[in-house]
Amino acid sequence: MRSVFWENNELRMIDQRILPNHFEVLSYRDHKSVAVAIQEMVVRGAPAIGAAAAFGLALAGYESASSSTSDLLAHLRASAATLKASRPTAVNLAWAIDRILNKISSLQSPTTDEIRQFILEEAQRIADEDVEINKRMAEHGAALINDGDTIIHHCNTGALATVDWGTALGVIHTAHEQGKKIHVLVDETRPRLQGARLTAWELEQYGIPYEIISDNTAGYFLKAGKVQKCFVGSDRTAANGDVANKIGTYMLALAAFDNGVPFYPVVPTSTIDLSLAHGDLIPIEERDPQEVLGLEFEGQRVAPQNAKARNIAFDVTPARLVTGIVTENGVAYPPFEASLKKRVLGK
Ligand code: MRU
C-alpha cells in the first residue's frame, strides 16, 4: 500500500503519528485539512508531502464550483499558498505545486473542468513518478553497499516518507533484496522518533536485521570501526551540495567524516534546489517546543513544568562532509556544483 493515494474522489494517507501501535488510513476532501495534516505530520517525508500537496491542490480544484477560469485560478493560487506554508524546509512541496501551476498556465484556453481534471492527473503522475524514481535511485545506491556492511540510518526515509519504496531506506531495501547481508543501526531520531517508530517498523516488515540506537550513540559505533556507511535522506539540497535533513544529520556527518566513514544522502532531483547557492539559504522549520517538552520517562514528563525548549526540525550538513549524493540519474561526487547540475539538468 502507498503512504499517499487517491481513491473514491478522496486523498487517503496512512496516519504516521500513531504508527507502529496503530495502523489507520485517513481520508481528506479539502485542501485546508490536507495542509493541517502535513503540518501535524500525519504525512511526512519530503516526497510524500510533495505528493500530498499535489493531491491537496486537486481537492482545491473540486472545492470551487465556479465555471469562471479566472475565479478557479484565483482559488487555486490561494490554496497553493496555504499548502506551501504548511512546512517550509522540504522543497518537494513547493516543487510539486509549482510544477502543476506552471503546466496549467501552458494549457490552451482550458475549461474549468479540464483544469480540475488536469490537476488530478498531474498529481497522480507525480505520485507514480516518485515510486519509479525511488526504484532507480535505489539501484544506484545499492551498488555502493557491500555484503556484510553495517549502515547507520537517520530519521525515516522509507516507503512512508515517500509515495512508496523510499530514498535512503529504499537503497537499503534494494541491497537486502539483492541478497547482501546488511545490518542497520537505526538512529531513534528525537524528538518525534521517526527512526524508532517508523524505520524500525518498516525494517521489521522487510526482514532486515536492525538495532535502534539513541541519537547520541552513533559516534561511539563510528569510532569503534563498526560502521561501513551512513545513508540519509534530504529535505532540500542546495546547488553546492549542502544537505538539509532531519535534525541530528549534521552531527552524524561530522562523526562519520572524523572516522573516515562514507556519508551518502539519497536525494531525488525534485529535492535539489539549484536556485539556492548554499545551505545557509535553506529555510529551517522550528516546531512547537511541546514536541520536546512532552517527552516522558517511566511514565512521567521529563522536563520541569516551567521549562522552555527549542525544537529545530532540520539542520544543514555542509557539502565538505558528504561523500556522494545518490540521485535517480546516478551518484554525484564533489565538486557538487557541477555534478549536481549535471544530474538535475542533464548538462
Ligand atoms: O520531519 P520529517 O519526518 O518530515 O523529516 C523527514 C526527513 O528528514 C527525511 O530524511 C527527508 O524527508 C527525506 S527522506 C524521503
Side-chain angles (χ1 to χ4, degrees):
M1 179 194 274
R2 291 182 171 190
S3 64
V4 174
F5 58 101
W6 185 266
E7 198 171 68
N8 293 338
N9 302 322
E10 292 179 335
L11 169 60
R12 302 216 162 134
M13 303 196 283
I14 296 174
D15 187 349
Q16 302 193 30
R17 297 167 305 178
I18 56 174
L19 281 170
N21 293 316
H22 304 280
F23 184 90
E24 204 177 322
V25 175
L26 302 179
S27 298
Y28 294 87
R29 289 183 149 272
D30 66 279
H31 81 276
K32 282 194 180 136
S33 53
V34 175
V36 172
I38 293 172
Q39 210 287 321
E40 292 181 350
M41 296 173 72
V42 168
V43 61
R44 30 99 12 231
I49 62 179
F55 284 120
L57 198 64
L59 288 170
Y62 293 112
E63 280 158 27
S64 154
S66 176
S67 55
S68 144
T69 307
S70 58
D71 284 357
L72 176 62
L73 290 178
H75 178 66
L76 288 173
R77 276 193 289 273
S79 309
T82 305
L83 287 162
K84 277 187 190 181
S86 57
R87 288 194 83 190
T89 303
V91 72
N92 302 62
L93 216 167
W95 169 86
I97 286 179
D98 289 342
R99 166 171 157 170
I100 295 173
L101 294 179
N102 288 337
K103 287 197 177 180
I104 291 174
S105 60
S106 64
L107 297 176
Q108 297 295 316
S109 323
T111 65
T112 50
D113 278 345
E114 282 167 354
I115 292 173
R116 291 185 184 96
Q117 183 63 26
F118 177 81
I119 302 173
L120 181 56
E121 285 168 7
E122 191 64 15
Q124 191 59 57
R125 269 192 288 276
I126 286 171
D128 294 343
E129 280 171 21
D130 180 58
V131 184
E132 184 255 321
I133 281 168
N134 291 339
K135 295 256 169 89
R136 269 162 56 200
M137 255 186 339
E139 292 292 330
H140 293 301
L144 301 168
I145 294 178
N146 296 322
D147 195 33
D149 275 357
T150 291
I151 295 163
I152 291 194
H153 175 274
H154 194 67
C155 196
N156 171 265
T157 66
L160 289 166
T162 58
V163 175
D164 202 356
W165 203 257
T167 59
L169 206 60
V171 165
I172 290 168
H173 193 176
T174 294
H176 170 75
E177 287 206 333
Q178 289 171 348
K180 291 174 185 166
K181 230 165 71 57
I182 46 183
H183 187 79
V184 185
L185 292 175
V186 176
D187 270 354
E188 61 177 355
T189 318
R190 298 231 165 185
R192 293 194 61 108
L193 302 169
Q194 290 95 327
R197 294 189 303 110
L198 307 175
T199 298
W201 183 72
E202 286 197 38
L203 288 171
E204 195 87 41
Q205 294 178 58
Y206 310 147
I208 301 174
Y210 72 92
E211 288 161 309
I212 298 171
I213 56 172
S214 61
D215 293 339
N216 43 12
T217 305
Y220 169 87
F221 281 113
L222 286 158
K223 187 159 182 298
K226 305 278 188 209
V227 178
Q228 282 67 50
K229 269 134 216 159
C230 302
F231 280 92
V232 300
S234 172
D235 289 81
R236 193 184 300 227
T237 292
N240 70 342
D242 289 350
V243 175
N245 191 47
K246 179 51 52 193
I247 194 78
T249 304
Y250 173 43
M251 291 200 304
L252 176 63
L254 279 170
F257 188 80
D258 194 42
N259 291 287
V261 174
F263 181 87
Y264 295 106
V266 182
V267 186
T269 54
S270 56
T271 305
I272 299 170
D273 188 347
L274 293 180
S275 77
L276 299 185
H278 55 79
D280 292 346
L281 301 170
I282 297 174
I284 299 293
E285 176 181 11
E286 181 159 1
R287 295 182 62 83
D288 188 345
Q290 268 316 113
E291 292 183 348
V292 175
L293 294 171
L295 289 179
E296 293 191 347
F297 179 69
E298 295 187 348
Q300 307 266 346
R301 175 184 156 114
V302 174
Q305 277 312 318
N306 295 325
K308 293 190 170 49
R310 296 289 300 272
N311 186 11
I312 313 295
F314 299 95
D315 58 28
V316 176
T317 297
R320 69 184 166 80
L321 304 177
V322 174
T323 310
I325 297 178
V326 181
T327 77
E328 71 272 27
N329 299 327
V331 185
Y333 289 100
F336 288 115
E337 275 88 356
S339 62
L340 280 183
K341 205 166 154 205
K342 188 146 190 280
R343 296 299 174 207
V344 177
L345 305 174
K347 58 186 178 196

